Amino acid sequence: MNPHLFENGWHPTAILGAMGAAAAAAKLFKLPGEKVCMALGIAGSLASGLRQNFGTMTKPLHAGRAAQNGVMAAQLARRGYTADPGIVEAKLGYANAFSGPGKYDLNKITANLGSPFDIVSPGVGLKRYPSCARTHPGIDAMLDLVEQNDLRPGDVESVACAGTYTTPTMLIHSRPRTALEGKFSMEFCLALALTERKVSLPDFRDQKVQDPKIQELIRKVTFSIRPDLNTIEHSGNPSTTVKVTLKDGREFTKTVDEARGTPNNPLTAEEVRGKYRQCVKGIQPQKEMEKTIELVGDLENLKKISTLADLLRGAQSR
Amino acid sequence: MNPHLFENGWHPTAILGAMGAAAAAAKLFKLPGEKVCMALGIAGSLASGLRQNFGTMTKPLHAGRAAQNGVMAAQLARRGYTADPGIVEAKLGYANAFSGPGKYDLNKITANLGSPFDIVSPGVGLKRYPSCARTHPGIDAMLDLVEQNDLRPGDVESVACAGTYTTPTMLIHSRPRTALEGKFSMEFCLALALTERKVSLPDFRDQKVQDPKIQELIRKVTFSIRPDLNTIEHSGNPSTTVKVTLKDGREFTKTVDEARGTPNNPLTAEEVRGKYRQCVKGIQPQKEMEKTIELVGDLENLKKISTLADLLRGAQSR
């Protein structure tokens, strides 16, 4: 369905996620095949989420709703609720409505399905930075350039970034005003990497985005489409090149094909733990934080999932 | 946005209804303008509903979800939740995503907005029959023909129905197998009108739809596009012609432009009361039924809406 789905303005996490969640919940409920179809049929009518809301609070809502919609669809199907059993491929159904008439490939849905599951290979990506994944290879490149060449923001004349043609359609906030918009801004993320030499959650604040020094750097960043990544076949390739030109004329260039945190370039276990600590700092007390890390690290041996759930909702400390 | 919205596979009740409900809830919350925009922005990302599910339980779910989505959007906006403030007209927004790029007319949204509100003029339609509104003029025509000419199902050779080109795209079940599919079947509704001389809720049962006599009549019904109703300008005109041909060669024809229950051809107050009694029979006890009718008939003088709400949820009888 992609990139048509995406180009039509839909947020894939929301639209595809509802179906994924419905399938997973239907599996957990051990529903028979016909009820799995009903669950997908219901989920198809619940799935929603517009990309225009990227950079607002509604964007993360899409992910939660996708999960909720899928679970609700499976719960309804379990109780005998009905929907069209061929919702994906039907004329007035899911794929046509979201991607456009015929702009999808049914074969790709079932090709290699479960052999292996994507969660096994290529595996799961874990984001190193709290921003849109499309900013990650650019951030990696900038951090490498800054560190290797000891670049200083004040010495920079311009930053030229180049990648696939779909990246600017995802990173819609080239002139961000809020932290949420900054998450969808290659310009802000590169300015932040150059200034702070790291890209971490505490810096995604409105104040930081509005900082005059950051705003000045944002205006120095341009994005262009790399000639080798201007076709639909390469639309999903996030390979990104960053070229920093200093005021003294020197140029530094770096290309990152696979960002840190992607399956082929995974984070270390300690980096994952570090990210968790960063995310819950000030929300979860230190002791519960470390206990959570311990339980998740040995999840397959956890006897009751409620032990983890209680910990996460702070039930023990109330 | 219509008929593009509709032709793309979306259920307008679900898609437009979410925005209507958000606007209404925002008004009741007395939200300031910018928060009304946020409510619409959130609702735009919640709105969903595929026409492929017409004829299944998921279709009526669309209406309830539209209301729920609108209320939730307004509640979130009231608490400061954010979304794109220009969701309707934005490039990656609501109108483009659901109708297709540029396939909408923004001017029509604001033209005559509130002067008067549609709820005042043309007014509200109340369905006489428990089936898709597009079946109603055809049903009216058939009931008139049956009554005026004392038609008997066994004497009928064929039934030719003709109307606007969008009607068959709404009535997608020309060969219905269930009662829910029968609601979206001109064929079933006309067969029922011819057989029962009325079209009422108790007859929308799977068993009735599957009745061999009804199925035989269904196969005698054809639908064609009336030449004067084959353009987009007339896409919303439900004027419908029914021609019944008897085995003895006699023909009877009737055209209904505005079905009973539409604002220009309203039901009487007693007919509305009768429909309510039909709908809640076996669900609400007689006494509560009549009390509900009394309260709704004088709604503007009801001191507390909870009096009605309690009555409807059966709180008094628990």
Side-chain angles (χ1 to χ4, degrees), chain A residues 45 47-48 53 58 62 82 84, chain B residues 45 47-48 53 58 62 65 82 84:
Chain A
S45 259
S48 192
N53 280 322
T58 300
H62 293 170
T82 62
D84 189 281
Chain B
S45 258
S48 193
N53 279 322
T58 299
H62 293 169
R65 282 281 284 197
T82 61
D84 189 283

Side-chain angles (χ1 to χ4, degrees), chain A residues 32 54 76 122 127 172 188 241 264 279 284 287 301:
Chain A
F54 278 24
L76 286 171
K127 283 178 163 183
I172 59 177
F188 171 70
T241 302
N264 285 328
C279 287
Q284 199 180 32
K287 197 180 147 195
N301 292 315

